[in-house]
């Protein structure tokens, strides 16, 4: 299977539909985040899901366990393949998300935990009272996520190896911050190429602008798939 989830980062249904229509069959799935989901909710989701490809619904849930369980339950009819929760919401919260997802049966969404946002550095962690080396904190939260029954986590390329070393191979790693050698880095720092990230142990790759802002998005998606083949 093509491990690339293309990020649909737009608040406009028309743009989302155009992008998804053009890339269906060229990528492994689509990632939709808060931008589109806040603007259009289930209609935004369905626009992306109409492709028939797996959908990664990146809503980063973080609330008391009962509320997160309810939120996951409300998402079940949409049948997303993956839903995110914040690992820092704690074990009971992640467990509640996992238990709620299980009620989706065979089509249940897999629960992925967001560890430390890549926008935060050690000083930022210190400021919110988590004064610890960022990588240590990421591994700690990934371990907590697994103990809570989560299926995997979202992590940056440079965190793939430390998490694999700590937790082994039976854990999904969904990895953004991917840049083919021929693409602009934009605002992403510490990137890896698609090939490097897979070799390091990534399960899936989230790739946005190198595909969506390319002069020929379909060509860009094909070039990435060829590099991974
Ligand atoms: O365009 P680009 O490839 O940078 O898009 C990456 C996608 O992954 C965006 O939707 C971005 O919000 C998301 N993401 C990220 N870094 C994280 C978590 C999510 O870039 N740590």
């Amino acid at each position: 299977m093509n491990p690339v989830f293309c990020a649909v980062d737009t608040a406009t249904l028309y743009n989302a539909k155009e992008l998804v229509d053009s890339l269906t069959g060229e990528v492994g799935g689509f990632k939709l985040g808060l931008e589109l989901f806040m603007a259009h909710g289930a209609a935004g989701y369905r626009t992306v899901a109409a492709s028939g490809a797996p959908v990664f619904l990146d809503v980063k849930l973080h609330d008391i366990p009962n509320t997160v369980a309810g939120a996951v339950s409300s998402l079940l009819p949409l049948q997303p393949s993956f839903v995110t929760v914040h690992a820092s919401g704690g074990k009971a919260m992640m467990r509640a998300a996992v238990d709620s997802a299980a009620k989706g049966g065979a089509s249940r969404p897999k629960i992925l935990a967001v560890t430390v946002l890549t926008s935060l550095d050690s000083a930022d962690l210190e400021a919110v009272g988590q004064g610890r080396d960022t990588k240590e904190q990421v591994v700690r939260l990934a371990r907590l996520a697994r103990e809570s029954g989560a299926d995997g986590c979202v992590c940056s390329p440079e965190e793939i190896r430390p998490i694999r070393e700590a937790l082994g191979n039976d854990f999904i790693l969904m990895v953004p911050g991917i840049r083919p050698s021929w693409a602009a880095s934009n605002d992403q720092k510490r990137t890896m190429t698609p090939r490097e990230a897979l070799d390091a142990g990534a399960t899936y790759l989230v790739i946005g602008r190198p595909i969506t802002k390319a002069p020929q998005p379909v060509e860009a998606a094909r070039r990435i798939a060829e590099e991974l083949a």
Side-chain angles (χ1 to χ4, degrees):
M1 180 213 158
N2 184 333
V4 174
F5 276 73
C6 181
V8 183
D9 287 325
T10 171
T12 313
L13 281 183
Y14 178 82
N15 291 345
K17 180 169 167 29
E18 198 174 51
L19 186 70
V20 167
D21 283 350
S22 69
L23 290 170
T24 297
E26 306 292 349
V27 293
F30 294 96
K31 187 206 87 152
L32 109 95
L34 289 171
E35 190 177 356
L36 187 64
F37 202 65
M38 288 295 189
H40 299 287
Y45 178 91
R46 290 198 181 95
T47 297
V48 176
S51 64
V55 180
F56 166 23
L57 183 53
D58 189 19
V59 283
K60 296 187 174 67
L61 301 172
H62 190 167
D63 210 314
I64 59 170
N66 186 58
T67 300
V68 166
V72 171
S73 181
S74 294
L75 293 174
L76 291 182
L78 299 177
Q79 301 193 337
S81 296
F82 302 97
V83 172
T84 46
V85 301
H86 270 286
S88 53
K91 211 168 180 172
M93 189 207 80
M94 285 190 277
R95 173 67 63 193
V98 168
D99 289 347
S100 194
K103 295 187 182 127
S107 60
R108 78 174 180 97
K110 290 192 163 67
I111 298 295
L112 301 182
V114 174
T115 56
V116 177
L117 293 172
T118 46
S119 50
L120 303 178
D121 60 19
S122 296
D124 295 317
L125 284 184
E126 179 82 45
V128 295
Q130 298 177 10
R132 197 172 287 112
D133 174 68
T134 314
K135 238 176 249 166
E136 245 174 63
Q137 179 70 355
V138 166
V139 171
R140 182 193 183 102
L141 288 173
R143 185 173 281 120
L144 188 71
R146 194 163 68 178
E147 286 167 11
S148 311
D151 298 281
C153 70
V154 181
C155 71
S156 75
E158 62 179 15
E159 292 153 3
I160 299 170
R161 284 200 168 90
I163 294 176
R164 282 279 176 243
E165 274 162 28
L167 299 183
N169 289 327
D170 188 23
F171 199 56
I172 294 169
L173 298 185
M174 178 74 80
V175 183
I178 303 296
R179 287 293 177 270
S181 55
W182 40 267
S185 58
N186 312 115
D187 52 359
Q188 295 283 10
K189 294 166 194 155
R190 300 185 295 273
T191 60
M192 277 189 189
T193 67
R195 182 77 260 163
E196 285 167 346
L198 274 201
D199 289 346
T203 319
Y204 300 107
L205 311 174
V206 178
I207 307 181
R209 288 161 291 178
I211 297 174
T212 59
K213 301 293 179 208
Q216 307 285 346
V218 171
E219 291 310 311
R222 284 185 188 162
R223 197 165 165 189
I224 290 168
E226 277 162 22
E227 288 175 16
L228 293 174

